[in-house]
Amino acid sequence: SAVISQKPSRDICQRGTSLTIQCQVDSQVTMMFWYRQQPGQSLTLIATANQGSEATYESGFVIDKFPISRPNLTFSTLTVSNMSPEDSSIYLCSAGGMNTEAFFGQGTRLTVV
Amino acid sequence: AQSVTQLDSHVSVSEGTPVLLRCNYSSSYSPSLFWYVQHPNKGLQLLLKYTSAATLVKGINGFEAEFKKSETSFHLTKPSAHMSDAAEYFCVVSGRNDYKLSFGAGTTVTVRA
C-alpha cells in the first residue's frame, strides 16, 4: 500500500492569487493524478502527472490554469492559478491504479473569497 | 471510453437492515471496477475491487459486490447496515491501458437508528 500526504489540508485564498498543493507518496509510484471534487459533486480527473515530462490534461483543464510538476516518482505539485470563487473545491492527489488499488490523499479543501 | 452510472443519488436505511447500492458500467472491454467510500471530511477508502477474477467480491466492513457482465452491473451490498456506514459511496471504473479512474456521481447513504 501507499500513503499519500497532501498539504495544505485546507486554505482560504483571495481571488486572483495562486495556491500550490503538494503531494508526497511514501514509495515510488509510476502514475500520479490530480482530481477535483466540487461541492456536493463527484471526482473529476484534472490531469495525469508525468514524471520528467509535461502533464496530460483532461478536457476542460489547461496547463495555464493548473500547472503541474512531477520532479520524481514520489512527489507532485498542483498549482491553482488566478483563482476565482468557482475554483473552490477539494483537490485530491492519487497514485497507482491500473487493476490495482488507487490511493488517495486526504485532499486539500480550497475556498476562494 | 468507460463510464459508470450510479442509479441512486441517495439511499436511506434503518440500522440492521440490508443496504443495496446500484451501479451500472459501460465499457468496450472487460473492466476493472471499484467501490470507494468517503466519510465526511475524510479521504477516499477502497471498499473492494473487481479485476476479472471471482465475480463475487468481498470487501472490508462486511461489504460485497457482484460483477454481472450480462447486466453490466456491479452492485454493492451489505447484509446489515451500521450507523458508521453513513457516508458517500462511489462506483469507479478504470481504463484498460491506463491508470485513469472514472467516478460515478456518488450515492449518499444515511442510516436511521
Side-chain angles (χ1 to χ4, degrees), chain B residues 24-36:
Chain B
N24 286 351
Y25 70 90
S26 174
S27 178
S28 56
Y29 48 82
S30 183
S32 293
L33 292 159
F34 310 81
W35 277 98
Y36 280 84

Side-chain angles (χ1 to χ4, degrees), chain B residues 80-96:
Chain B
S80 177
H82 190 271
M83 297 298 288
S84 61
D85 294 327
E88 188 80 11
Y89 292 79
F90 293 100
C91 183
V92 182
V93 63
S94 72
R96 183 178 194 180

